[in-house]
């Protein structure tokens, strides 16, 4: 469905300055109420930016303080051209969930632009570096916001609302006069905005009736009134007719070639622009006569057969399977030369089935006239001449989605769809991995006993260990084609135990990542929860079939001691008492069971009309708190399983994770409402709320020493929040 009537331009244009009396007439699927509001005071805009925090909050929660975001580990590498080096050459900008992250390249300090209510879909920086613009995704039929930011002050300047569904692309004119926005498939329009006035100038359907979807927009490097759009079998050069408030497009002629355009760059002199295609070639188009002048190379950029696949990460051991190898496509020569002996390799001669876009997915033009090409197969190549002869090339993990240069191009950065960022020196043409994160949902997060400097997370295919002072990955353990649901550090620090969907419990060395032992067939429907006793001699595991199993762990042996059969659905969480004689298990069957693991019997059962997702002992261990899909937080007596208190934990969505402080005064929760909430245990009230996740929060933990709170989510993000300054209200449990 299009937001604009078909034709070369809109049949109406808003007056400048805006006047209600001169509002445009209603058009099909595009009422006057959709047209952007005039510039609004910053105080009002900041209030709008915080709407996401209050939309799903109770009146008491709206009065709560705000958790301050300390750091974010993550990068949305699926957004084309989402990684940008700022013109000051000191900062990188990239999207993460509903936040835009600004990171200092030297100090690694991060600043965050908050204001979007859903995932950021595109980011662009003006040539002067004064402005940043970001667009978002929203629900079909609803307006998707564009936010204009002041880079120096890190403040929201204006919220521009006209497109529906999604903002596909953004581009600033060379002198910061105009911002061009491109709507998504359900919108299909291109709009030019006046940046100083913060209002729309004019708009038009982005493509002709016979053409496909438009996915890319790029402004001229010299002229404010010209820009180019491209997509499926369409390339258009647009001229802005400001006196008549119209956009005049001209379709470019490519002869017999029919291509899906995946990347676009305009030369600095505006005479030519280059487009990369999904078939692996590059077209050069003359800006003046709109004709394709040449295309190449003859040998297209695509995945090659017979490559050698390398999987791995320094100081870890990985497993390999050919079917996963396509997702970890990388160069043996480059990695083995940098770190010999740390990688296992396997030849992969079959044709890979790549699920992500292939061909030329990113382009970077250098002052020398050379072109740097990024492909969906992970190749970054330096090309010269009209035949695009490859002079140098490197391989990175995942398909390239962003190429951005620093300065004149002595250094450039590469972003991939596996959510990794590389820094490349132009002269040496060697890649350096500077940012890495999960590209799938994170299922668990855990700290080693007594330290806040390290924590581990698990996801599909891997377990990662992070160093919190630098927010840097120290270790990666890869098990291809498998999903890790839960992890735990043994208290003595000698191993990391993990629960996997193939029914195995795997233990790894925490420093090298080497496999220590494997318990095969631990559960028939996958291992869904795991915990270890304080003496490090036994492991408790929960499975998808509902059984709880107790394992005795020796130096070289592991033996099944007991099977506890009460749950009839998957076990979601296991917590042990400090004396190792009792534990509580939460299950999706609506029960929490307290077990005597000395006698292998059930002590108490808690029943509720919910699917329990999480459970915690109060540090004094005579009360429990639970939560799940009913959005309620329950307080329970351990002695007899009786209910003490019932709180409304969320107005929308399940609560998936919770953790409690070592003194029992406060606890934190997170779930499908995307909010991190900190609660006063005795009062049962929310004291602080953290807004930043755009995916469902899956787990969260308060670090030892209460320095910060770490939350992980289904979009792969890891957010670290500063632990707020709160009064000590005592350590007593809730009164009955």
């Amino acid at each position: 469905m299009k937001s604009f009537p078909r034709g070369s331009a809109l049949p109406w244009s808003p007056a400048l300055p805006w006047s209600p009396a001169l509002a445009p007439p209603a058009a099909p699927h595009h009422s006057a109420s959709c047209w952007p509001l005039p510039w609004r005071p910053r105080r009002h805009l900041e209030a709008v930016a915080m709407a996401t925090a209050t939309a799903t909050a109770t009146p008491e929660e709206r009065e709560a303080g705000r958790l301050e975001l300390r750091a974010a580990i993550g990068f949305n590498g699926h957004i084309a051209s989402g990684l940008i080096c700022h013109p000051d050459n000191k900062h990188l900008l990239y999207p993460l969930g509903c936040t835009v992250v600004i990171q200092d390249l030297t100090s690694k300090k991060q600043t965050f632009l908050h204001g979007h209510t859903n995932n950021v879909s595109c980011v662009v920086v003006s040539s002067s570096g004064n402005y940043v613009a970001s667009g978002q995704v929203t629900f079909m039929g609803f307006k998707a916001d564009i936010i204009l930011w002041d880079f120096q002050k890190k403040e929201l300047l204006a919220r521009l609302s006209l497109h529906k569904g999604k903002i596909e692309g953004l581009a600033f004119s060379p002198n910061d006069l105009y911002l061009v926005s491109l709507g998504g498939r359900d919108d299909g329009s291109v709009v030019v905005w006046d940046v100083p006035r913060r209002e729309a100038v004019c708009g038009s359907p982005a493509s002709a009736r016979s053409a496909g979807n438009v996915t890319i927009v790029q402004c001229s490097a010299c002229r404010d009134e010209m820009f180019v759009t491209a997509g499926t079998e369409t390339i258009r050069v647009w001229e802005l007719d400001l006196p008549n408030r119209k956009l005049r497009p001209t379709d470019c002629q490519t002869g017999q070639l029919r291509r899906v355009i995946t990347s676009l760059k305009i030369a600095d002199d505006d005479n030519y622009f280059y487009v990369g295609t999904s078939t692996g070639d590059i077209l050069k188009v003359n800006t003046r006569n709109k004709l394709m002048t040449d295309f190449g190379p003859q040998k297209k950029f695509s995945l090659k057969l017979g490559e050698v696949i390398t999987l791995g990460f320094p100081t870890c051991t990985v497993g390999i399977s050919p079917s996963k190898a396509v997702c970890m496509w990388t160069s043996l020569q480059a990695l083995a030369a940098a770190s010999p002996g740390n990688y296992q390799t396997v030849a992969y001669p079959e044709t890979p089935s790549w699920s992500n876009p292939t061909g030329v997915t990113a382009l970077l033009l250098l002052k020398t006239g050379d072109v740097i090409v990024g492909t969906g197969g992970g190749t970054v190549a330096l090309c010269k001449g009209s035949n695009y002869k490859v002079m140098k090339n490197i391989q990175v993990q995942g398909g390239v989605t962003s190429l951005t240069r620093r300065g004149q191009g002595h250094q450039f950065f590469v972003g991939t769809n596996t959510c990794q960022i590389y820094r490349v020196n132009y002269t040496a043409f060697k890649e350096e991995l500077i940012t890495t994160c999960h590209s799938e949902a994170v299922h668990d997060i855990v700290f080693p006993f007594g330290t806040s400097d390290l924590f581990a997370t698990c996801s599909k295919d891997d377990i990662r260990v992070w160093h919190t002072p630098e927010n840097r990955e120290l270790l990666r353990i890869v098990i291809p084609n498998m999903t890790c649901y839960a992890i735990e550090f043994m208290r003595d620090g000698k191993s990391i135990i993990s629960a996997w969907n193939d029914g195995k419990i795997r233990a790894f060395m925490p420093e090298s990542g080497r496999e220590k032992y494997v318990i095969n067939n631990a559960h028939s429907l996958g291992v869904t929860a795991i915990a270890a006793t304080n003496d490090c001699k036994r492991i408790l595991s929960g499975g998808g079939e509902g059984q709880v199993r107790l394992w005795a762990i020796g130096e070289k042996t592991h033996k099944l001691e007991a099977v506890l059969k009460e749950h009839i659905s998957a076990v979601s969480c296991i917590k042990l008492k400090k004396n190792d004689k009792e534990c509580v298990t939460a299950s999706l069957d609506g029960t929490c069971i307290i077990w005597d693991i000395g006698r292998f019997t059930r002590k108490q059962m808690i029943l509720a009309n919910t699917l329990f997702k999480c459970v915690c002992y109060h540090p004094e261990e005579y009360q429990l708190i639970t939560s799940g899909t009913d959005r309620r937080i329950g307080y329970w007596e351990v002695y007899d399983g009786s209910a003490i208190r019932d709180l409304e934990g969320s107005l929308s969505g399940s609560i998936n994770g919770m953790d409690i402080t070592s003194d029992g005064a406060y606890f934190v929760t997170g779930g499908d409402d995307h909010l991190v909430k900190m609660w006063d245990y005795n009062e049962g009230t929310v004291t602080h709320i953290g807004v930043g996740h755009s995916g469902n929060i899956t787990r969260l933990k308060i670090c030892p020493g209460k320095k910060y709170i770490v939350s992980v989510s289904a979009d792969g993000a890891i957010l670290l929040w500063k632990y707020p300054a709160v009064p000590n209200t005592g350590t007593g449990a809730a009164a009955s």
Side-chain angles (χ1 to χ4, degrees), residues 174-197:
N175 297 307
D176 299 358
L177 293 181
Y178 304 111
L179 173 67
V180 182
S181 62
L182 179 64
R185 178 175 299 189
D186 297 321
D187 183 85
S189 61
V190 60
V191 176
V192 177
W193 304 85
D194 187 305
V195 173
R197 294 175 181 268

Side-chain angles (χ1 to χ4, degrees), residues 302-321:
S302 58
L303 296 179
K304 301 175 184 178
L305 302 184
E307 289 278 1
V308 176
I309 308 306
T310 303
L311 295 181
F313 197 80
T315 68
C316 84
T317 298
V318 297
I320 295 174
S321 72

Side-chain angles (χ1 to χ4, degrees), residues 157-174:
L157 295 177
R159 188 180 293 270
L160 311 174
S161 301
L162 181 58
H163 295 288
K164 291 184 178 181
K166 179 184 180 182
I167 308 299
E168 190 73 49
L170 294 168
F172 278 105
S173 67

Side-chain angles (χ1 to χ4, degrees), residues 391-510:
M391 308 303 295
K392 300 177 181 178
N393 71 85
I394 56 176
Q395 288 287 142
V396 295
Q397 183 176 315
V400 177
T401 54
S402 300
L403 287 173
T404 180
R405 74 185 183 193
R406 187 179 188 185
Q408 299 302 310
H410 67 286
Q411 210 175 62
F412 63 93
F413 298 90
V414 181
T416 73
N417 58 19
T418 55
C419 304
Q420 305 203 126
I421 300 175
Y422 295 84
R423 178 167 48 208
V424 182
N425 183 285
Y426 175 76
T427 305
F429 220 75
K430 295 292 183 183
E431 76 277 17
E432 176 192 358
L433 183 63
I434 61 171
T435 298
T436 180
C437 59
H438 292 287
S439 57
E440 301 280 350
V442 185
H443 297 292
D444 202 4
I445 181 264
V446 64
F447 283 90
F449 176 72
T451 179
S452 60
D453 289 342
L454 298 173
F455 67 89
T457 56
C458 65
S459 179
K460 186 183 180 205
D461 300 326
D462 58 24
I463 297 170
R464 305 192 190 199
V465 179
W466 306 88
H467 187 229
T468 52
E470 299 174 355
N471 304 319
R472 181 170 59 91
E473 181 181 322
L474 294 180
L475 174 70
R476 188 187 308 179
I477 303 166
V478 179
I479 306 294
N481 289 335
M482 300 301 166
T483 300
C484 184
Y485 287 129
I487 49 173
E488 185 74 89
F489 280 99
M490 295 296 266
R491 195 180 179 98
D492 59 9
K494 293 182 179 179
S495 62
I496 303 171
I497 57 173
S498 54
W500 296 81
N501 68 331
D502 61 351
K504 296 181 181 180
I505 297 172
R506 293 178 171 91
F508 302 95
M509 306 292 287

Side-chain angles (χ1 to χ4, degrees), residues 6-7 207-212 236:
R6 287 290 184 181
S207 62
R209 289 178 180 271
S210 59
R236 275 185 159 188

Side-chain angles (χ1 to χ4, degrees), residues 281-602:
D281 50 10
I282 301 169
L283 314 184
K284 185 178 180 181
V285 182
N286 189 303
T287 308
R288 295 174 182 173
N289 60 24
K290 284 73 176 177
L291 297 177
M292 182 185 70
T293 59
D294 59 56
F295 70 98
Q298 187 173 359
K299 185 178 180 181
K300 297 178 182 179
F301 292 99
S302 58
L303 296 179
K304 301 175 184 178
L305 302 184
E307 289 278 1
V308 176
I309 308 306
T310 303
L311 295 181
F313 197 80
T315 68
C316 84
T317 298
V318 297
I320 295 174
S321 72
S323 60
K324 186 59 185 174
V326 288
C327 298
M328 308 289 283
W329 196 274
T330 185
S331 168
L332 173 63
Q333 289 78 14
L335 291 177
S339 182
N342 286 334
Y343 300 91
Q344 299 176 358
T345 62
V346 60
Y348 189 71
E350 302 172 14
T351 303
S353 56
W354 201 271
S355 60
N356 296 301
T358 55
V360 178
T361 52
L363 289 171
L364 185 61
L365 305 184
L366 303 179
K367 298 287 186 181
T368 60
D370 298 338
V371 181
I372 295 176
V373 177
T375 74
T379 299
V380 180
L382 173 63
C383 301
K384 285 183 179 290
S386 59
N387 60 351
Y388 305 102
K389 181 181 179 181
V390 176
M391 308 303 295
K392 300 177 181 178
N393 71 85
I394 56 176
Q395 288 287 142
V396 295
Q397 183 176 315
V400 177
T401 54
S402 300
L403 287 173
T404 180
R405 74 185 183 193
R406 187 179 188 185
Q408 299 302 310
H410 67 286
Q411 210 175 62
F412 63 93
F413 298 90
V414 181
T416 73
N417 58 19
T418 55
C419 304
Q420 305 203 126
I421 300 175
Y422 295 84
R423 178 167 48 208
V424 182
N425 183 285
Y426 175 76
T427 305
F429 220 75
K430 295 292 183 183
E431 76 277 17
E432 176 192 358
L433 183 63
I434 61 171
T435 298
T436 180
C437 59
H438 292 287
S439 57
E440 301 280 350
V442 185
H443 297 292
D444 202 4
I445 181 264
V446 64
F447 283 90
F449 176 72
T451 179
S452 60
D453 289 342
L454 298 173
F455 67 89
T457 56
C458 65
S459 179
K460 186 183 180 205
D461 300 326
D462 58 24
I463 297 170
R464 305 192 190 199
V465 179
W466 306 88
H467 187 229
T468 52
E470 299 174 355
N471 304 319
R472 181 170 59 91
E473 181 181 322
L474 294 180
L475 174 70
R476 188 187 308 179
I477 303 166
V478 179
I479 306 294
N481 289 335
M482 300 301 166
T483 300
C484 184
Y485 287 129
I487 49 173
E488 185 74 89
F489 280 99
M490 295 296 266
R491 195 180 179 98
D492 59 9
K494 293 182 179 179
S495 62
I496 303 171
I497 57 173
S498 54
W500 296 81
N501 68 331
D502 61 351
K504 296 181 181 180
I505 297 172
R506 293 178 171 91
F508 302 95
M509 306 292 287
E511 294 181 358
S512 66
R514 295 189 180 279
E515 196 173 84
K516 190 173 182 181
Y517 60 83
V518 178
I519 302 176
N520 293 308
N521 303 313
H523 290 272
S524 59
L525 296 180
V527 188
T528 55
I530 201 163
T533 58
N534 292 317
D535 60 10
C536 304
K537 293 181 179 179
R538 293 191 290 179
I539 291 174
L540 273 166
S541 64
E545 76 288 338
Q547 293 184 9
V548 179
R549 297 189 173 190
L550 186 65
W551 306 86
I553 305 300
E555 286 293 327
K556 296 183 179 181
T557 61
H558 38 270
K559 183 179 69 173
L560 179 62
E561 279 195 350
V563 179
L564 308 175
K565 299 180 181 180
E566 291 281 350
H567 293 299
I568 58 173
S569 191
V571 177
S572 55
C573 187
I574 301 175
K575 291 294 171 67
L576 278 150
K577 266 192 172 181
K578 296 170 188 174
N579 62 7
D580 292 341
K581 295 181 179 180
E582 182 181 296
C583 75
V584 60
T585 58
S587 173
L588 301 184
D589 62 3
T591 66
C592 282
I593 298 178
I594 301 168
W595 304 92
D596 184 325
I597 55 176
R599 297 186 296 172
F600 313 132
T601 58
R602 185 187 78 190

